[in-house]
Amino acid sequence: MSLPLDMDPSTTKTNAFPTAPSTHQMTRRISRAVVTLATGTVLLAFFFLSGSPPAPPAHLQTTISRCSALHSKPGPPPGFHERTVSDRFVQGTRPVLIRNATVWTGEGVLEAGDILLSGGIIQSVGHLGLAEGLEKEYAGADVLDAKGAWVTPGIVDVHSHVGVESVPGLVGAMDVNSMHGAVQPWLRALDGLNTHDESYKLNIAGGLTTALVLPGSSNAIGGQGFVIKNRPTTERSPSSMLLEPPFNMNGTAVDYSVPPRWRHMKHACGENPSGEYGQTRMDTFWQFREAYETARRIKVAQDNYCDAALAGKWDVIEDKEFPDDMQWEALVDVLRGKVKINTHCYEAVDLDDFVRLTNEFKFPVAAFHHAHETYLVPHVLKRAYGKPPASAMFASFARYKREAYRHSVFAPAILHQHGLPVVMKSDHPAIVSRYLLHEAQQAHYYGLPADVALQSVTTVPADVLGMGHRIGRVKKGWDADLVLWGPHPLQLGATPTQVFIDGIPQLEDPQFSPKSAKRNSGPPHVPNFEREAKLAVQHEGLPPLEPVKRFTVDQGLVIFTGVKGVVLDEGRVAANADALLTVIVRAGEILCMSADQVCNEAYATGADSEVVDLAGGWITPGLVSLGSSLGLQDIAMEDSAKDGEVFDAMTSNAPVASEVVRAVDGLMFGTRDAWLAYRAGVTDAITPPQSSGLILGFSAAFSTGATGKLEKGAVAKDAAALHVRVTYASTVGVSTQIAALRRLLMPPAADEEVHGAAAHALQGTMPLVVHADSADVIATLIELKAEVESSIGATLRMTIVGGAEAHLLARELGEAGVGVIVISPRAFPYTWEKRRILPGPPLTQETNIMHLLAHNVTVGIGPQGTNGMDMISSWAVRNLRFDAGWAMLESDGQISEAEALAMASTDINKLLGVKGSGDLVATRGGGLLEFESKVVAVLSSARAVVDLL
Ligand SMILES: *[C@@H]1O[C@H](CO)[C@@H](O)[C@H](O)[C@H]1NC(C)=O
Ligand SMILES: *[C@@H]1O[C@H](CO)[C@@H](O)[C@H](O)[C@H]1NC(C)=O
Ligand SMILES: *[C@@H]1O[C@H](CO)[C@@H](O)[C@H](O)[C@H]1NC(C)=O
């Protein structure tokens, strides 16, 4: 049989199939099929059916379309950017003309730019001027004068569990990890996507417009992910949230005549899929190989089948169906290059394993997620099949488990230097994706260039998702997803003033703080961390963190020059508006402070003295950490690398369960989290024992800069406060917990001894610290306090830690003299008992902190942390300075810098009844709470040292 070929491609169009003739017609005439090949060349094949050829099967047309589409690559249809209306356009959306914006387009900056949004897309970007008739041309458009404010593309998150690990966290909304097998490529996150997750609107408040929703990482192959836009839809369905629904979202009925859209798949290596008993990394990689081998065989069978079909060899096909398997089709598509693989992978071993897998089965990886060690093995990434994967990372979230132990804040900058793409991601709600931009801000602080930092949450993730043709850039023809910012988006506390998704403004009545926002023209001038970044690589992720130089009493003086000011305890500020100060220090003690030569003349400096230029920096009180397990763990999720949980007095019969435990007995010094906190100006920590039960025990106050417990000044107070926790997330009810607390606190009968632990609290010598979030629980505690006080005739010193809903009782807390240490300082409804939040700007003008302060409540803040869980959150203590700075910036001038500093230091001491070490922290280039500065020294008179960091 000869097959005359018409090779003129100009007469044909990609995917232009003839309308389907019936099988009956087929047998009577020549059929023609237009066949698209992977190379993009087009082949016309004529099948002559003469003599007694094998009859074409009934499914001929479907088979030919399917086989023709076998090698087609996902992407937008041709001419996509000539569209005038988006497929996501919502009828009735008014066009918007944004005037005079400083536009960061994703590729550069357009000063005084104008952007026209209509039809759900960006119709034009540029300078429209003030031409006559302009109003007429854009009649009907809402005009928004940006007054020079920054505009960026919407923020894009490549790793979110929004809707599948829903917020507030409830058992009934956990659709993130299936426990039915290691390999489940057939599962689809879309099938569990909860449309009622509180996170969507909070995400918008952070400028997040698009997210890839992924299954969890408990399986080697956890299933398929889906790209959604964050806005509510009129249909209110999960399907209507999808951006470019993958071609087979409706199941097996696929229209092969249009180019396919990208599919997304979650894989995971390392500790999480190894979580099951007896499962190892070796098992996980065998499971990958076995699964991919299954897919490979199906692919080969399909290719053979289609080769025959497209060659008209019906005798080979006969009545066989296209070889397919619903369970494996998604993996076959991976091998066909139609699926973006997103792999949770931390360590060098996992990355190496996975790169080997990609080369064995020939498929590319879109991104390694978490990717904590990619900066140590850039060459492994460069060996990956296809092109090097992006690293989708956290900025500072680390050390919670072994495979996260060698994380470095310098990783984004190091990867970028190797020419590897960097993405900052949230793993929401691990990091709250509303604050994804803050991950990019931190990456920038630690050395990633400003443009690259912005790209790491816009253009690069858009490209990683295969959506770079429509999101991640401010460009004509792209989706109208934009964010208007107060200050430059890399400035601390940057908050959207408006967010557009598909051209629809998302904030109804945006609240923001024009007073405090630094409306300066660009990103912050961040310090230099090149030395630290080099050490991180040199030491394989575990660089020494001890002070570079420690000046003890026997050594010379440390002379700080260029000091802008000194904030002493109690907020006393020493500064000279006209000149920088010189401050002379010995053994942590300030000997002299002046703006002229007085100090230099008064003190003879020796060869062992050191001069430290602070370049306009400050000396301020060290911060105090409370609200994490700092000092009780090296690695939170390794039992052998932490102190561990106390017995729960409510449920345990163990003999020591009735004893009140002292954290001081389990303290570990020199943990990496403690040193990193110290290096970030957190000199003191107050940590209660770890417990999920009612009675935590006595907290210990200690120095984060001490190397051992027996060192001078290492422990400031061995039993600072008695800590209890009242929560709905307990094995016993809240009412039972309160009953137990009442019994502990009420005065004993005449013949009973006062309970040992409670006695201190009752005698007013020790605060009772209650970890609680629910307003209902806090109300009960306020009543209990009054009840106990009237019985004992004395004041009970009570402090709340957590206090997510405390703002609802601000007046009552103020009147009762109960202070609150707010954790997390930026509210998020992680759980039901934390759901009634004051979200802060741009959703509400006030925050929890501001509302409490307005009612004269003494407020402290703890680190932002992970899911508000103190057991995991010790990594976050180093960020306390930025948390305090942020709380100040969003307060619209209500909180001064001195007050913000006090909230993260002296006020915590006050609330916990601790004197504090009195350590001071020297910063270069700016104040402690800013991105412009770097902590360079700690002055400790309690420990009689000056540490140069
Ligand atoms: C744009 O905004 C800036 C800042 O408010 C202002 O100085 C400038 O005059 C504005 N330009 C135009 C063309 O409106
Ligand atoms: C899925 O089916 C719906 C109709 O039920 C259709 O509107 C939509 O375009 C289909 N989506 C895809 C990706 O095929
Ligand atoms: C807070 O204290 C100030 C000064 O003592 C007082 O004037 C103000 O009325 C108090 N505010 C509230 C809400 O109690």
Side-chain angles (χ1 to χ4, degrees):
M1 187 166 70
S2 69
L3 295 173
L5 298 177
D6 177 351
M7 294 298 284
D8 179 9
S10 64
T11 62
T12 63
K13 273 210 168 73
T14 311
N15 292 315
F17 288 93
T19 47
S22 68
T23 314
H24 172 70
Q25 287 171 313
M26 290 298 300
T27 55
R28 287 195 287 112
R29 64 176 174 85
I30 296 162
S31 91
R32 191 177 75 163
V34 183
V35 178
T36 308
L37 297 180
T39 55
T41 58
V42 172
L43 172 76
L44 288 179
F46 289 85
F47 304 134
F48 282 90
L49 307 173
S50 54
S52 53
H59 52 76
L60 169 75
Q61 194 57 39
T62 325
T63 298
I64 289 189
S65 350
R66 184 168 198 169
C67 288
S68 308
L70 211 55
H71 303 289
S72 60
K73 292 291 177 234
F80 180 77
H81 290 126
E82 274 84 73
R83 66 190 177 142
T84 51
V85 176
S86 169
D87 51 353
R88 295 183 50 83
F89 177 62
V90 175
Q91 285 302 330
T93 307
R94 294 167 62 82
V96 175
L97 177 59
I98 302 169
R99 310 249 16 204
N100 194 16
T102 309
V103 188
W104 185 82
T105 63
E107 285 153 6
V109 175
L110 174 72
E111 306 274 355
D114 305 309
I115 310 168
L116 178 68
L117 313 177
S118 89
I121 65 173
I122 298 170
Q123 301 286 356
S124 69
V125 191
H127 297 108
L128 299 175
L130 293 168
E132 291 286 317
L134 199 67
E135 270 81 61
K136 206 168 133 209
E137 191 176 338
Y138 298 109
D142 292 332
V143 179
L144 199 160
D145 182 0
K147 297 184 178 142
W150 285 90
V151 170
T152 67
I155 306 291
V156 180
D157 190 359
V158 298
H159 191 138
S160 179
H161 302 299
V162 65
V164 289
E165 188 178 339
S166 279
V167 167
L170 293 166
V171 178
M174 282 297 155
D175 287 291
V176 69
N177 283 306
S178 159
M179 290 305 178
H180 294 151
V183 171
Q184 305 189 82
W186 47 86
L187 299 185
R188 309 194 299 179
L190 177 64
D191 293 331
L193 192 75
N194 180 353
T195 53
H196 305 300
D197 192 318
E198 292 281 321
S199 310
Y200 298 117
K201 64 172 188 280
L202 296 171
N203 283 341
I204 289 170
L208 190 88
T209 51
T210 304
L212 172 61
V213 182
L214 290 168
S217 49
S218 296
N219 328 86
I221 300 183
Q224 298 163 41
F226 290 80
V227 181
I228 60 159
K229 286 222 191 167
N230 244 307
R231 68 170 170 84
T233 65
T234 44
E235 193 183 284
R236 299 197 181 96
S237 66
S239 303
S240 61
M241 298 177 81
L242 295 181
L243 174 62
E244 297 203 345
F247 57 94
N248 58 352
M249 73 163 266
N250 288 333
T252 44
V254 174
D255 178 357
Y256 293 108
S257 69
V258 291
R261 302 303 178 95
W262 282 104
R263 308 178 72 180
H264 303 267
M265 172 101 62
K266 176 74 177 284
H267 286 4
C269 10
E271 293 183 25
N272 286 15
S274 298
E276 297 296 312
Y277 178 76
Q279 170 92 1
T280 66
R281 283 179 163 81
M282 298 185 289
D283 294 294
T284 301
F285 272 88
W286 168 245
Q287 287 153 353
F288 276 129
R289 294 183 65 221
E290 193 180 37
Y292 272 106
E293 178 59 15
T294 306
R296 195 191 61 81
R297 286 168 191 264
I298 295 170
K299 176 175 177 278
V300 168
Q302 290 176 352
D303 289 345
N304 292 341
Y305 181 94
C306 283
D307 285 351
L310 295 177
K313 295 180 184 164
W314 307 118
D315 52 332
V316 177
I317 295 174
E318 288 174 5
D319 54 357
K320 288 194 210 99
E321 284 202 22
F322 180 78
D324 207 355
D325 187 317
M326 271 181 77
Q327 287 196 305
W328 300 105
E329 58 80 27
L331 278 196
V332 176
D333 266 358
V334 174
L335 300 180
R336 295 199 181 285
K338 298 183 187 188
V339 185
K340 296 280 185 186
I341 292 293
N342 291 280
T343 300
H344 159 125
C345 242
Y346 281 79
E347 284 197 81
V349 57
D350 303 314
L351 299 163
D352 189 55
D353 290 346
F354 209 90
V355 164
R356 223 181 301 117
L357 185 77
T358 68
N359 285 311
E360 181 177 1
F361 291 96
K362 309 214 175 331
F363 66 91
V365 179
F368 280 124
H369 291 235
H370 308 312
H372 279 44
E373 292 189 9
T374 51
Y375 76 104
L376 293 174
V377 291
H379 301 292
V380 173
L381 268 64
K382 290 178 183 179
R383 275 201 275 108
Y385 181 81
K387 63 175 189 178
S391 295
M393 327 188 73
F394 298 127
S396 52
F397 181 21
R399 290 172 300 284
Y400 40 91
K401 54 178 167 171
R402 198 199 76 98
E403 61 187 2
Y405 197 57
R406 289 169 192 263
H407 173 275
S408 173
V409 288
F410 311 112
I414 295 167
L415 288 162
H416 173 66
Q417 278 161 13
H418 284 287
L420 291 165
V422 175
V423 173
M424 303 312 291
K425 62 99 188 16
S426 73
D427 193 7
H428 178 88
I431 294 288
V432 174
S433 55
R434 174 181 178 182
Y435 304 117
L436 177 56
L437 182 65
H438 187 46
E439 299 297 294
Q441 291 170 350
Q442 291 175 66
H444 175 239
Y445 178 72
Y446 293 113
L448 193 64
D451 278 347
V452 185
L454 284 177
Q455 282 165 345
S456 76
V457 288
T458 53
T459 52
V460 185
D463 293 345
V464 162
L465 297 182
M467 300 289 162
H469 57 280
R470 65 185 298 172
I471 60 168
R473 288 169 178 83
V474 184
K475 245 177 141 168
K476 181 176 158 38
W478 264 249
D479 284 16
D481 297 352
L482 301 179
V483 188
L484 273 81
W485 301 96
H488 185 280
L490 291 177
Q491 292 283 356
L492 184 64
T495 299
T497 58
Q498 187 51 278
V499 179
F500 291 91
I501 303 181
D502 300 318
I504 306 167
Q506 298 294 314
L507 300 173
E508 251 172 51
D509 180 21
Q511 305 285 321
F512 45 91
S513 156
K515 249 188 242 167
S516 313
K518 279 193 193 173
R519 281 187 167 263
N520 46 4
S521 53
H525 297 287
V526 294
N528 185 311
F529 287 102
E530 269 169 37
R531 176 179 67 90
E532 290 87 344
K534 233 176 237 140
L535 284 171
V537 176
Q538 196 180 319
H539 292 268
E540 300 203 10
L542 302 177
L545 298 174
E546 291 80 4
V548 173
K549 206 161 177 188
R550 175 164 280 189
F551 284 78
T552 62
V553 71
D554 307 321
Q555 283 156 312
L557 305 172
V558 181
I559 300 139
F560 292 98
T561 60
V563 184
K564 183 94 185 239
V566 181
V567 182
L568 298 163
D569 238 0
E570 309 300 323
R572 283 181 299 124
V573 179
N576 183 324
D578 305 323
L580 297 173
L581 308 173
T582 293
V583 178
I584 297 195
V585 183
R586 185 204 300 278
E589 207 81 60
I590 294 182
L591 303 178
C592 186
M593 193 159 41
S594 84
D596 44 35
Q597 286 301 306
V598 175
C599 286
N600 295 10
E601 283 155 16
Y603 289 89
T605 53
D608 52 356
S609 298
E610 181 123 355
V611 177
V612 180
D613 181 6
L614 293 190
W618 283 77
I619 295 178
T620 39
L623 305 184
V624 180
S625 155
L626 180 106
S628 85
S629 291
L630 191 72
L632 288 180
Q633 61 194 22
D634 268 311
I635 306 175
M637 288 158 72
E638 284 287 344
D639 287 348
S640 64
K642 64 177 191 183
D643 177 48
E645 281 215 38
V646 305
F647 282 109
D648 183 354
M650 300 292 290
T651 54
S652 172
N653 291 323
V656 296
S658 60
E659 295 300 320
V660 173
V661 173
R662 304 186 325 155
V664 71
D665 296 328
L667 278 186
M668 300 161 79
F669 283 83
T671 64
R672 296 192 75 78
D673 282 334
W675 278 126
L676 290 167
Y678 190 67
R679 290 178 154 269
V682 183
T683 54
D684 295 29
I686 305 171
T687 300
Q690 297 184 330
S691 174
S692 43
L694 174 68
I695 298 176
L696 284 67
F698 294 119
S699 51
F702 62 98
S703 163
T704 55
T707 51
K709 189 186 280 176
L710 305 181
E711 204 175 290
K712 174 183 159 75
V715 176
K717 198 163 183 183
D718 54 12
L722 175 63
H723 292 246
V724 299
R725 172 179 282 115
V726 181
T727 172
Y728 292 96
S730 171
T731 45
V732 296
V734 161
S735 45
T736 307
Q737 295 168 55
I738 295 290
L741 207 51
R742 180 178 284 115
R743 199 190 144 129
L744 187 75
L745 294 173
M746 285 303 264
D751 56 346
E752 267 181 303
E753 293 243 335
V754 175
H755 190 290
H760 299 286
L762 295 179
Q763 287 152 12
T765 56
M766 179 183 275
L768 176 72
V769 177
V770 189
H771 296 241
D773 284 293
S774 153
D776 294 306
V777 168
I778 294 170
T780 302
L781 290 168
I782 291 172
E783 275 192 343
L784 182 66
K785 179 176 186 283
E787 186 186 335
V788 171
E789 285 175 345
S790 78
S791 291
I792 62 173
T795 305
L796 188 64
R797 293 166 65 193
M798 183 184 278
T799 292
I800 303 292
V801 169
E805 297 187 347
H807 62 97
L808 294 170
L809 292 166
R811 185 171 52 83
E812 292 81 355
L813 286 164
E815 284 166 6
V818 176
V820 181
I821 296 171
V822 177
I823 301 166
S824 310
R826 294 186 292 287
F828 188 70
Y830 293 104
T831 56
W832 193 253
E833 63 191 315
K834 301 179 184 182
R835 76 189 182 284
R836 293 173 288 188
I837 60 166
L838 257 183
L843 297 176
T844 58
Q845 189 248 317
E846 276 205 314
T847 61
N848 193 9
I849 295 168
M850 289 160 71
H851 197 70
L852 290 168
L853 286 174
H855 289 84
N856 291 340
V857 177
T858 303
V859 176
I861 63 165
Q864 186 72 16
T866 317
N867 291 359
M869 287 188 295
D870 47 7
M871 286 190 209
I872 305 282
S873 297
S874 53
W875 66 272
V877 177
R878 67 186 301 172
N879 294 338
L880 189 58
R881 50 190 289 230
F882 301 135
D883 295 334
W886 195 328
M888 171 187 78
L889 288 166
E890 66 184 356
S891 77
D892 199 19
Q894 191 182 314
I895 301 173
S896 70
E897 188 166 355
E899 282 167 329
L901 273 168
M903 283 196 312
S905 58
T906 44
D907 287 345
I908 296 177
N909 283 336
K910 205 190 302 171
L911 290 170
L912 271 285
V914 171
K915 190 171 157 290
S917 67
D919 284 4
L920 296 170
V921 169
T923 49
R924 179 180 290 141
L928 182 59
L929 310 188
E930 300 167 0
F931 275 147
E932 277 84 359
S933 76
K934 178 177 183 176
V935 176
V936 292
V938 174
L939 294 59
S940 176
S941 57
R943 287 177 293 123
V945 297
V946 177
D947 282 337
L948 302 187
L949 302 171

Short mmCIF file of all heavy atoms in Angstrom, two decimals, residues 245-250 253 255, ligand 2:
data_model
loop_
_atom_site.label_atom_id
_atom_site.label_comp_id
_atom_site.label_asym_id
_atom_site.label_seq_id
_atom_site.Cartn_x
_atom_site.Cartn_y
_atom_site.Cartn_z
N PRO A 245 -7.74 25.19 33.71
CA PRO A 245 -7.97 23.81 34.16
C PRO A 245 -7.20 22.83 33.29
O PRO A 245 -7.20 22.96 32.08
CB PRO A 245 -9.48 23.62 33.94
CG PRO A 245 -10.03 24.99 33.93
CD PRO A 245 -8.97 25.89 33.41
N PRO A 246 -6.48 21.90 33.91
CA PRO A 246 -5.75 20.93 33.10
C PRO A 246 -6.70 20.16 32.19
O PRO A 246 -7.87 19.99 32.53
CB PRO A 246 -5.09 20.02 34.13
CG PRO A 246 -5.64 20.40 35.45
CD PRO A 246 -6.33 21.70 35.34
N PHE A 247 -6.18 19.73 31.06
CA PHE A 247 -7.04 19.25 29.98
C PHE A 247 -7.92 18.08 30.36
O PHE A 247 -8.95 17.85 29.77
CB PHE A 247 -6.20 18.90 28.75
CG PHE A 247 -5.12 17.87 29.02
CD1 PHE A 247 -5.36 16.52 28.80
CD2 PHE A 247 -3.88 18.25 29.50
CE1 PHE A 247 -4.38 15.58 29.04
CE2 PHE A 247 -2.89 17.31 29.74
CZ PHE A 247 -3.14 15.97 29.52
N ASN A 248 -7.51 17.36 31.40
CA ASN A 248 -8.30 16.17 31.72
C ASN A 248 -9.04 16.30 33.04
O ASN A 248 -9.34 15.34 33.68
CB ASN A 248 -7.39 14.95 31.75
CG ASN A 248 -6.29 15.16 32.77
OD1 ASN A 248 -6.16 16.26 33.31
ND2 ASN A 248 -5.54 14.14 33.05
N MET A 249 -9.30 17.56 33.44
CA MET A 249 -9.94 17.71 34.76
C MET A 249 -11.32 17.09 34.79
O MET A 249 -11.83 16.73 35.84
CB MET A 249 -10.01 19.17 35.19
CG MET A 249 -11.04 19.97 34.44
SD MET A 249 -11.43 21.51 35.29
CE MET A 249 -12.86 21.05 36.25
N ASN A 250 -11.97 16.98 33.64
CA ASN A 250 -13.30 16.37 33.61
C ASN A 250 -13.23 14.85 33.54
O ASN A 250 -14.23 14.19 33.35
CB ASN A 250 -14.10 16.90 32.42
CG ASN A 250 -14.52 18.35 32.64
OD1 ASN A 250 -14.67 18.78 33.78
ND2 ASN A 250 -14.70 19.06 31.56
N ALA A 253 -12.96 12.20 29.42
CA ALA A 253 -13.48 12.85 28.21
C ALA A 253 -12.63 14.09 27.92
O ALA A 253 -12.77 15.11 28.56
CB ALA A 253 -14.94 13.25 28.43
N ASP A 255 -10.97 16.86 25.13
CA ASP A 255 -11.02 17.44 23.81
C ASP A 255 -9.58 17.56 23.30
O ASP A 255 -8.83 18.44 23.72
CB ASP A 255 -11.69 18.83 23.89
CG ASP A 255 -11.74 19.52 22.54
OD1 ASP A 255 -11.20 18.94 21.56
OD2 ASP A 255 -12.30 20.62 22.46
C1 LIG B 2 -15.16 20.42 31.81
O1 LIG B 2 -16.55 20.32 31.57
C2 LIG B 2 -17.25 21.55 31.60
C3 LIG B 2 -18.72 21.23 31.36
O2 LIG B 2 -19.18 20.37 32.33
C4 LIG B 2 -16.73 22.46 30.52
O3 LIG B 2 -17.40 23.71 30.60
C5 LIG B 2 -15.25 22.66 30.72
O4 LIG B 2 -14.72 23.42 29.69
C6 LIG B 2 -14.51 21.32 30.77
N1 LIG B 2 -13.15 21.59 31.12
C7 LIG B 2 -12.13 21.02 30.49
C8 LIG B 2 -10.78 21.44 30.92
O5 LIG B 2 -12.26 20.21 29.61
#
